Amino acid sequence: MQETYDIAVIGAGTGGLVSAFLCDSLGAKTALIEKARMGGECLWTGCVPSKALIRSAKVFATVKRAAEFGVQVENARLDWHIVQQRLAAVRDEIKELERVEMAKTKIDFITATARFLDANTLELTDKSGTTQLRAHKFILATGTKANIPDILGLGDVDFLTHETIFDVPDLPRSLTILGGGPVACEFAQAFARFGTQVTILQQGEHLLPKEDSEISATLQTLLQNDGVQIFLNAKTKRVEKDKAIRLIFEADGAEKTVVSEHLLVATGKKAHDTVNFAAAGVQMHERGVIVDENLKTTAPHIWACGDITGAYLFTHVAEYGGKIAAQNALLPVKAKADYRIVPWTTFTDPEVAHLGLTEEEAREEHGEAKSYKVPFSRLDRAIIEGETSGFLKAICTGSGRLVGAHIIGPQAGELIHTFVPAVRDGALLQELAETIHVYPTLSEIGHRAGNQFYQDTLNDALEKAPVRWLLNKFVK
């Protein structure tokens, strides 16, 4: 007998889990369908294992400079297999937390591959065979997959992606990375710190092309200090395989070759149709499923959230979208997705955090823009911690309204949240100067930027004759 649900959620990554939990809490009979493992890419091949890997690399790098802090460590070495065991343990611990939360609900969790037969019917295939499921409404949270570029010979080599790199049996002796985005930079630094010879081939002019150009340049220098070889404007012509993997590419007007044990392809992600969207009336574009501001697809009873929508491929945005999709699917009052204030972080060491407009974007949008730059080397807590690389760049309009904040520095991913309400609410930068910050903390960096703006404002005021006359009259 075919079972009918109020709503079926396809995909149990962050967006799918959040939307399913909310649908269940609203009293809807909910099915959550996942073809592989609960937790999706973030838990198994994305955020969780990569950040665990980065943590191991940072600890190893810190141990190497322990003498700076008066701590003598002899013969420190890396054990790749223990690193892998810790990755697995971290994933298992978080998986258990999700399992416990799922057990508190009435959600029917179904492990199967889903495929639309028509607008309201799914065909579910698992090891035992094929069944069908019907639902009045659906939420799509099917994610993305690695984007593999069309390069001659690439298909003939056993290359790695962000999904498979954690499973290499031994620590790579050498690694070439195609791409210069967050995934490429994070893996490049981590493996370089482990002792791997790492080369980045970036097709564009900068690493992290969505970031402020000065921050990108600073990160490039820091990665190079960690031993990463970087080629910009590199166009890969072909890939060859003999005893090792050989990449032939053009850079700086010449043909070059890099040879390595492993090749990591980190050239972004792309949406894919695994569930026969067309049968349900769901249309796609090159970035993913077409959705409106309410996250409704072109089918009137189907919503989508997470990476499959093509908007900001971040776990925190998937969570945000999951809530909106569930609310709009089940409640009469509709919510709109607002992506104007989306922070993100690249978890290199130091971290790179992004919020709002860059200086170039602010000038394009507002005509006049000011930037206030505060280096961590002038911050007492950073000096105490021995973590002085990087800076904050606060961006505001000519009137001082904060429209962006960009950080490269220690704990940038934590610090960026200080600026989210300020940018969202259009606060003046001087308000950060007027807010009392705990000393000594890294959060003071925003306070310092506010002080700069405050001092500039006072200096401008002092240049006006009536103000100077008043000061002369009442101070002397």
Side-chain angles (χ1 to χ4, degrees):
M1 181 177 177
Q2 207 175 67
E3 190 161 7
T4 301
Y5 290 85
D6 295 323
I7 193 161
V9 180
I10 307 174
T14 299
L17 285 169
V18 169
S19 60
F21 285 157
L22 182 53
C23 289
D24 177 72
S25 68
L26 291 172
K29 184 178 180 180
T30 306
L32 176 59
I33 305 149
E34 168 57 46
K35 67 178 180 180
R37 299 169 291 192
M38 184 189 302
E41 179 187 72
C42 179
L43 175 59
W44 295 101
T45 61
C47 311
V48 171
S50 67
K51 277 45 180 181
L53 185 81
I54 289 165
R55 177 60 176 164
S56 291
K58 182 174 176 61
V59 169
F60 193 37
T62 302
V63 168
K64 290 179 180 178
R65 48 185 293 234
E68 295 178 24
F69 303 91
V71 179
Q72 299 301 324
V73 178
E74 302 295 334
N75 301 320
R77 66 182 184 87
L78 181 89
D79 189 325
W80 172 246
H81 299 103
I82 298 298
V83 171
Q84 289 180 306
Q85 288 174 22
R86 183 174 185 274
L87 299 189
V90 168
R91 284 188 293 206
D92 287 344
E93 183 174 348
I94 295 174
K95 178 187 70 175
E96 180 61 17
L97 293 175
E98 292 178 345
R99 188 197 66 78
V100 169
E101 291 302 310
M102 180 64 69
K104 297 176 183 177
T105 74
K106 297 179 181 179
I107 297 169
D108 284 345
F109 182 76
I110 301 168
T111 302
T113 300
R115 183 175 182 274
F116 278 106
L117 296 178
D118 58 42
N120 294 96
T121 308
L122 290 175
E123 179 183 75
L124 305 180
T125 304
D126 60 17
K127 293 182 292 185
S128 61
T130 299
T131 58
Q132 292 184 6
L133 176 151
R134 287 185 60 81
H136 298 296
K137 297 178 179 181
F138 297 86
I139 295 175
L140 307 177
T142 52
T144 55
K145 64 178 181 179
N147 178 52
I148 308 303
D150 184 15
I151 298 174
L152 181 65
L154 182 59
D156 298 327
V157 303
D158 188 17
F159 61 84
L160 302 169
T161 69
H162 70 281
E163 299 170 346
T164 59
I165 192 168
F166 306 105
D167 300 323
V168 292
D170 299 301
L171 180 68
R173 294 185 297 272
S174 55
L175 175 68
T176 300
I177 302 177
L178 286 181
V183 172
C185 291
E186 289 177 1
F187 280 127
Q189 185 180 55
F191 278 99
R193 288 181 164 187
F194 289 153
T196 303
Q197 181 182 338
V198 179
T199 302
I200 286 179
L201 302 183
Q202 162 67 326
Q203 188 172 3
E205 297 180 358
H206 309 284
L207 299 177
L208 302 183
K210 293 184 179 180
E211 303 301 334
D212 175 274
S213 58
E214 190 174 3
I215 283 180
S216 297
T218 301
L219 179 64
Q220 178 177 336
T221 298
L222 292 171
L223 292 182
Q224 289 169 330
N225 290 343
D226 274 319
V228 180
Q229 186 178 32
I230 299 170
F231 292 96
L232 302 177
N233 297 309
K235 182 179 180 181
T236 304
K237 299 178 67 176
R238 64 185 184 277
V239 181
E240 299 174 351
K241 169 74 172 169
D242 41 43
K243 292 182 179 180
I245 298 175
R246 184 186 307 272
L247 273 77
I248 295 86
F249 64 100
E250 290 181 355
D252 302 322
E255 185 171 285
K256 303 176 184 290
T257 301
V258 61
V259 179
S260 58
E261 181 184 12
H262 288 286
L263 169 63
L264 170 63
V265 178
T267 50
K269 303 174 185 178
K270 67 177 182 179
H272 55 120
D273 181 357
T274 60
V275 296
N276 192 23
F277 293 141
V282 175
Q283 297 177 12
M284 297 184 70
H285 50 47
E286 61 181 10
R287 296 189 309 278
V289 169
I290 297 172
V291 293
D292 64 13
E293 61 187 6
N294 304 123
L295 300 187
K296 180 184 285 187
T297 71
T298 51
H301 64 303
I302 301 178
W303 288 256
C305 63
D307 290 3
I308 190 61
T309 67
Y312 297 98
L313 309 189
F314 304 117
T315 298
H316 47 289
V317 175
E319 177 185 0
Y320 171 73
K323 295 174 183 176
I324 291 175
Q327 175 181 332
N328 291 341
L330 297 177
L331 298 178
V333 178
K334 304 306 179 186
K336 295 180 180 179
D338 183 357
Y339 299 120
R340 290 175 299 172
I341 312 298
V342 177
W344 67 73
T345 300
T346 300
F347 292 90
T348 48
D349 179 27
E351 296 173 353
V352 174
H354 179 118
L355 175 68
L357 302 178
T358 64
E359 189 172 359
E360 296 90 341
E361 291 168 342
R363 287 202 172 92
E364 290 177 6
E365 185 168 325
H366 298 284
E368 181 184 1
K370 297 179 179 179
S371 68
Y372 292 87
K373 182 179 174 182
V374 183
F376 279 90
S377 59
R378 296 182 186 172
L379 201 65
D380 293 1
R381 184 55 185 268
I383 295 170
I384 292 167
E385 297 290 326
E387 302 285 351
T388 56
S389 296
F391 55 87
L392 158 71
K393 184 179 282 190
I395 312 299
C396 60
T397 63
S399 63
R401 183 167 60 87
L402 195 63
V403 294
H406 305 274
I407 309 173
I408 179 168
Q411 299 186 42
E414 305 295 334
L415 298 176
I416 198 66
H417 298 99
T418 302
F419 300 91
V420 171
V423 174
R424 180 194 62 209
D425 299 336
L428 295 175
L429 185 55
Q430 74 181 55
E431 293 179 42
L432 294 179
E434 297 164 355
T435 302
I436 299 173
H437 288 68
V438 173
Y439 174 89
T441 61
L442 296 175
S443 297
E444 284 187 283
I445 200 160
H447 183 69
R448 298 287 183 89
N451 284 344
Q452 285 186 14
F453 176 84
Y454 198 65
Q455 291 165 1
D456 284 355
T457 302
L458 288 177
N459 288 336
D460 289 344
L462 288 173
E463 292 302 317
K464 298 178 180 179
V467 175
R468 187 170 296 280
W469 179 83
L470 286 171
L471 287 172
N472 289 334
K473 182 176 179 63
F474 290 102
V475 173
K476 292 182 179 180

